[in-house]
Structure formats: structure tokens, C-alpha cells
Amino acid sequence: MPTREHLEGQWREWRHAHVARMFRPYGWTSLVAQYWLEAGGRDVTFEMLPGTWSVEDGRIMFTPPASGPNLSVNGEYPTAPIEIIPGRNQTYGHGRSVPVYFGVMEVETILRSNHEGQPLYGIRVRDPLKAMRPEDAGVTAFDYDPAWRIPGFYTPTELTDFEAETVEAGVRESTPRIGTFTFEHKGRSYTLVLIGKQTATGIQPVAHIRDRTSGPITYGAGRVIELQFADEKNTRIDWIDFNYAVALPCAFTNFVTCPVAPPENHLDFEVLAGEKRPAKDVARTMTYKAGENSAS
């Protein structure tokens, strides 16, 4: 096992990079709007965006206005209807989408589903001038403790898409499950369900947990921990390090669809490691209303 000094030094560098990424100009805290379209929605207007928006054959289409301000799509102003491709994710940066701006604001689209399994299409707006600062959010963490770096073993399974409930009532998000990670704590065995985030460099295994600190000490909707594969074939994970637990983006903004932690990942002990609850609370209000922007 590496020395404490090595582990703590690596964690400090990672912690700095994580906070910087969360609070960068177009990071999660810059979100200022989240709009929804349902299948067949046509010629819908949104308060903060120009033109009209539609869903055609499962594609999110933007129709520019006849005159006035326009979107910039991959460096050009469109003159005809154009698809705004989902996939530009500010945390992981993958997908076929291209940069879309409206003035200083960045625009992205996302795919979700409702409780009936029907597709939902989201449009998000990020304003770098409204991005929160770490000191304003009151982001802190426990000191690094190597006792929370716990060995265990990974059991891969066939990748399956699971439609998880989210903090946005009526909206589900697909979370690809890739296997389980089993570890021991104080003589008891625990098995966590792992999801596999698609990233620019491949699959990133993630555990979404709740524990007895969730709410009073850490973020109430739970925290996520990125784990690391120990081999090139992605068949081994040797450790879970709870010092790397961080709050979900919904701790900092209302305009997200963070999944709810699966029941299997509710731990019956306090995880006194990782990121603490932000000092500033976000007032949770819903952005989706069923049937509001669907086919007429």
C-alpha cells in the first residue's frame, strides 16, 4: 500500500482539480435554465433562447428567427432548421455534439425519459457570469484519512441500462450499470452497484452512495465516488477510497437531473470522509411539467 504522504498528496491535487472543474465558467454551477420538450413538440419558444424548438423523428431541432439574435452552432449562425445534438457534457465531455452559444451563454441538449418510458428532450442554458464561486457555496471536505481507503473486489456484469429516478420529479435518467464492488467495514460485508460513466477516455466506474451522514453532514441526495480499474481489460477494481466522495451537481444548482442513489447503495454507517454538505442550500423547484411541450 502506498504511504500516507503519497495518498494524501495525490488526493489534494485531485481535490483542487475537482473543485476547479465544478466551478469553472461553464461548469455545473453556471446552469441558469432547464427546458423540456416531449415527443412531437413543435415550434416551442423558451424565455432565454431565440427562435423555436421542436422534436422531429427523435431529433432536437432549432429554427432560427427571421431576424435578430441567433445561436452560434459550431462557430456559425444557422439560417435554416438545424439539429442540436445531445452529448456535450460539461463534466465528461463526450458525444458527437458541437459547441453552441447564445451570446456568452452556452446551450446544450440532453436525453431523458418520463415515468412511462417515453423520451424527454432537455435544453440547458449555462451563463458563465452567473457561475457560483467555491467560497460562496461553502464547499469543504474532511481531512484525508487513509482508513477510508478500503480494499475490495469488483464483479463485472453485462452492461445494462437502468432508468433511475431523479431529483427532477417525473424525469428518469439512464444509468448504465457495469457490476458490483464488495468491501468490508467493521466486520460486515457490503456490496455496491456500480455505474459506468461514458467519458472521453473510456468507462469510468462510479459508486453513488447514501450513508448516515447524508443530510446533516453531507449532501442529502448522496455522494458519488469514482473508482479506478486496476488492469487494462477493466476487470479489476482493488480499492474504494471514500475520501474521493463528492456531492452531486444538484447540491449546487436546480437545473439538473441527478439520479437517486439505488437502495443497494444505502450504507448503515457514517462515512466521515470526502466532501461535506455545501453551506449554501439550493431551493429545489421542478422544471418539468408533463404534457406542457408535447405534440398538440
Side-chain angles (χ1 to χ4, degrees):
M1 179 175 175
T3 64
R4 178 190 180 117
E5 291 84 352
H6 177 83
L7 292 172
E8 185 170 350
Q10 296 294 303
W11 171 79
R12 287 185 183 280
E13 287 292 330
W14 173 88
R15 179 81 195 148
H16 175 81
H18 168 76
V19 173
R21 185 170 64 247
M22 177 67 72
F23 291 89
R24 71 185 187 273
Y26 292 107
W28 288 112
T29 69
S30 69
L31 282 162
V32 293
Q34 181 170 255
Y35 302 117
W36 296 100
L37 291 166
E38 295 185 336
R42 294 192 61 83
D43 300 327
V44 178
T45 60
F46 297 120
E47 180 182 1
M48 299 184 69
L49 297 173
T52 60
W53 297 77
S54 304
V55 175
E56 299 178 8
D57 299 323
R59 301 184 302 160
I60 302 172
M61 303 297 297
F62 166 72
T63 300
S67 61
N70 196 357
L71 290 186
S72 166
V73 181
N74 203 25
E76 298 181 355
Y77 298 120
T79 57
I82 186 171
E83 180 182 7
I84 308 299
I85 301 173
R88 186 171 178 80
N89 183 295
Q90 290 299 321
T91 299
Y92 294 101
H94 69 280
R96 295 189 301 111
S97 62
V98 297
V100 179
Y101 296 96
F102 181 50
V104 300
M105 297 185 295
E106 186 178 60
V107 180
E108 67 177 350
T109 60
I110 59 173
L111 298 180
R112 297 293 185 264
S113 62
N114 62 20
H115 284 173
E116 288 71 45
Q118 300 300 313
L120 293 176
Y121 306 86
I123 298 96
R124 285 176 173 162
V125 182
R126 298 174 187 257
D127 186 343
L129 304 181
K130 299 291 181 65
M132 190 184 302
R133 300 181 304 170
E135 54 268 33
D136 293 335
V139 179
T140 59
F142 291 95
D143 291 336
Y144 188 87
D145 184 351
W148 286 104
R149 185 176 188 261
I150 302 175
F153 63 89
Y154 171 56
T155 303
T157 60
E158 184 177 349
L159 189 147
T160 57
D161 285 329
F162 179 79
E163 294 297 310
E165 300 289 337
T166 73
V167 297
E168 178 72 24
V171 177
R172 293 184 177 181
E173 180 171 350
S174 178
T175 57
R177 295 184 172 185
I178 61 171
T180 60
F181 184 80
T182 302
F183 67 96
E184 289 191 0
H185 176 70
K186 294 187 175 180
R188 287 191 58 188
S189 178
Y190 296 87
T191 298
L192 302 175
V193 172
L194 299 186
I195 62 176
K197 286 283 189 179
Q198 295 283 350
T199 77
T201 57
I203 295 290
Q204 170 68 63
V206 177
H208 181 185
I209 67 164
R210 292 191 82 250
D211 64 272
R212 289 189 174 176
T213 70
S214 300
I217 302 175
T218 64
Y219 181 52
R223 295 178 290 169
V224 291
I225 306 156
E226 293 184 349
L227 290 78
Q228 306 302 322
F229 288 117
D231 65 331
E232 293 182 356
K233 295 183 178 180
N234 296 349
T235 60
R236 277 180 46 214
I237 299 173
D238 295 339
W239 301 87
I240 184 169
D241 194 334
F242 288 98
N243 293 284
Y244 287 80
V246 296
L248 294 160
C250 48
F252 305 101
T253 177
N254 186 54
F255 304 108
V256 288
T257 60
C258 295
V260 174
E264 301 95 320
N265 292 7
H266 289 201
L267 301 173
D268 61 359
F269 57 88
E270 288 187 321
V271 177
L272 297 171
E275 196 165 82
K276 298 180 182 180
R277 177 177 177 170
K280 183 176 181 179
D281 288 328
V282 172
R284 181 67 49 201
T285 57
M286 298 299 114
T287 63
Y288 169 65
K289 183 183 294 184
E292 187 172 41
N293 292 318
S294 60
S296 57

